[in-house]
Amino acid sequence: MDGGKAIRESRDVDVPLAAAHFFYYAGWADKLQYAFAGRNPKSLGVAGQIIPWNFPLLMAAWKIAPALACGNTVVLKPAETTSLTAMKLAEIIQDCDLPPGVVNIISGAGATGAAIVNHPGINKIAFTGWTDVGKIIQRALAGTDKKYTLELGGKAANIVFEDAAIDQAVEGIVNGIFFNQGHVCCAGSRLFVQENIKDTLLKKLKDRMDTLIVGDPLDKNTDIGAINSKEQLKKIQNYIKIGTNEGGNCYQSNCVLPTKGFWCKPTLFMDVAQSSRIVQEEIFGPVLAVQTFRTAEEAIEKANNTPFGLSSGVWTDKGSKIFKVTSKIRAGVVWANTYNKFDPTSPFGGYKESGVGREGGMHGLDAYLKFN
Ligand code: NAP
Ligand code: MG
């Protein structure tokens, strides 16, 4: 109700993963001396944490759980459009009998985030959001002794080779770009298909797109919920215009949209150039840009040719090809024959303009500790 995502995804993904995150990091709390043997880990103090609207519960869990496990207190600011979720979480945290003042949740827009970033009493900043805002924060922190991690935007390549299990790949492409309305930093927003299977794959993909139900987020049959805000819908629609003006060949599923609210049909663009804005820029909506390739080298080169490096996907029947391709892709996470799968034990984060530092796993502890 707060963010617009489909209830099936909240129930099956966000809530269990948030709980798993707390459970996983709780396990580390009394083992830090062993995890960092000989390095004498100590808590940092106060962690300032700023999160986006796309996963309002899960992003809060990613931030709060490791900070507490390392003995810090937190001041967390949710995005203005999804602050109710964080307030609900605050109630749950209250029920857990944490001492007062250990977890503080403050609502407010960008200025509140900036006040946290610039506050002298804060020892660490953990930010997740747009790359442009991340750059502002990084500039503000330069020259201070605050530790920081930045989880920023992405424009992931999802690469499908001719020998992939094609129906499975189609499901992975759909999940990669249409999960959570495409409001996903690691969304597989650029599809690379090996040229000789393009026609077969696109036919199956369009057929599958036509079955997706867009609408009431509270209906358990809904696949694609509401776009989070009017502002974000405008941004997505503008990119669809840009893609068309750049000569892209647009396909949208023939689903019926509700009349009231913010909705976007699942959309794909064929015949796009590597230089197209819809190929280079993060749209953060259900819009997929499709390109083809002939050789693995060509796919790798094109996949790496963006300012981002958060995630990627590879679909093939050959283990050797998986190792060859994944080792050359400059992305923090590379999925093989699956997509958008998360686990608290596994680190997450970006190369290049997708961010600094890692969250998740043991790597996620490091960011909330000082040593010696
Ligand atoms: P955003 O506009 O950057 O906002 C993120 C948070 O920062 C919000 O709480 C926002 O407040 C706050 N903020 C805005 N200006 C600020 C400033 N000058 N100083 C401090 N805080 C400020 O991002 P968004 O639109 O919420 O989320 C979408 C972006 O998040 C996408 O780029 C996506 O890729 C990225 N993302 C990355 C990851 C990852 O792990 N790498 C995960 C999820 C999302 P208000 O919005 O309330 O004004
Ligand atoms: Mg914002």
Side-chain angles (χ1 to χ4, degrees):
M1 289 171 77
D2 196 18
K5 68 175 64 204
I7 188 72
R8 182 157 45 83
E9 291 178 359
S10 300
R11 193 190 54 203
D12 297 349
V13 183
D14 297 52
V15 172
L17 271 179
H21 233 80
F22 279 107
F23 188 79
Y24 172 75
Y25 278 108
W28 278 121
D30 61 353
K31 301 176 192 71
L32 297 173
Q33 298 300 333
Y34 307 97
F36 299 95
R39 292 181 66 197
N40 193 22
K42 289 196 197 75
S43 59
L44 288 174
V46 185
Q49 308 181 315
I50 301 163
I51 59 170
W53 44 260
N54 58 335
F55 291 93
L57 181 68
L58 190 57
M59 289 299 108
W62 278 30
K63 295 278 180 281
I64 295 172
L68 297 188
C70 294
N72 303 287
T73 59
V74 312
V75 179
L76 175 116
K77 188 197 95 63
E80 260 309 76
T81 59
T82 53
S83 45
L84 292 180
T85 306
M87 295 302 158
K88 189 73 200 168
L89 180 63
E91 282 176 18
I92 294 168
I93 287 171
Q94 234 163 6
D95 288 347
C96 296
D97 283 339
L98 269 189
V102 171
V103 173
N104 307 276
I105 294 178
I106 307 182
S107 63
T112 307
I116 293 173
V117 169
N118 294 310
H119 196 286
I122 283 186
N123 307 97
K124 138 115 199 170
I125 294 293
F127 170 80
T128 297
W130 294 115
T131 293
D132 290 353
V133 178
K135 286 180 182 173
I136 295 172
I137 292 175
Q138 200 170 21
R139 275 196 291 272
L141 294 175
T144 73
D145 60 359
K146 287 174 192 164
K147 242 182 146 163
Y148 63 89
T149 41
L150 306 173
E151 299 280 359
L152 310 176
K155 192 75 188 178
N158 206 357
I159 304 168
V160 183
F161 285 94
E162 59 183 350
D163 57 6
I166 199 148
D167 291 324
Q168 200 185 323
V170 167
E171 288 310 305
I173 295 163
V174 166
N175 178 261
I177 185 63
F178 301 127
F179 170 60
N180 202 38
Q181 297 76 246
H183 302 327
V184 183
C185 50
C186 49
S189 51
R190 292 182 297 149
L191 172 63
F192 290 96
V193 193
Q194 198 151 19
E195 201 171 76
N196 52 336
I197 59 160
K198 176 187 159 199
D199 293 341
T200 320
L201 185 131
L202 281 182
K203 163 128 196 7
K204 282 176 184 272
L205 179 58
K206 288 176 184 172
D207 287 349
R208 181 68 177 93
M209 279 166 69
D210 287 341
T211 68
L212 296 173
I213 300 170
V214 184
D216 183 359
L218 291 176
D219 185 331
K220 67 180 178 3
N221 289 321
T222 293
D223 296 301
I224 301 181
I227 300 302
N228 178 261
S229 66
K230 194 175 184 174
E231 190 191 358
Q232 184 61 22
L233 179 61
K234 254 199 226 149
K235 184 179 160 185
I236 297 167
Q237 285 168 339
N238 189 43
Y239 271 112
I240 293 176
K241 232 181 265 161
I242 290 170
T244 309
N245 291 341
E246 282 177 332
N249 179 1
C250 180
Y251 178 80
Q252 290 190 306
S253 87
N254 49 22
C255 63
V256 181
L257 297 182
T259 48
K260 188 167 168 280
F262 312 135
W263 312 99
C264 183
K265 289 184 175 182
T267 303
L268 69 80
F269 275 96
M270 292 152 296
D271 309 321
V272 291
Q274 185 69 14
S275 58
S276 296
R277 283 186 63 192
I278 59 162
V279 169
Q280 290 292 329
E281 297 173 20
E282 183 181 50
I283 300 173
F284 224 57
V287 182
L288 178 66
V290 185
Q291 294 175 270
T292 57
F293 67 93
R294 287 183 188 165
T295 64
E297 287 68 29
E298 186 189 349
I300 292 163
E301 196 183 317
K302 285 180 169 169
N304 286 334
N305 183 9
T306 77
F308 300 109
L310 190 58
S311 62
S312 187
V314 179
W315 299 82
T316 168
D317 191 35
K318 303 254 177 329
S320 57
K321 213 184 273 177
I322 290 174
F323 286 116
K324 179 179 165 191
V325 175
T326 56
S327 63
K328 290 191 177 135
I329 289 183
R330 300 268 298 155
V333 178
V334 188
W335 284 288
N337 294 328
T338 188
Y339 207 93
N340 273 341
K341 289 284 178 284
F342 305 95
D343 191 283
T345 62
S346 156
F348 188 90
Y351 283 76
K352 301 191 273 184
E353 294 197 9
S354 288
V356 177
R358 294 291 178 267
E359 294 187 323
M362 266 185 79
H363 305 71
L365 294 168
D366 202 291
Y368 288 97
L369 293 167
K370 61 184 173 199
F371 300 95
N372 292 310

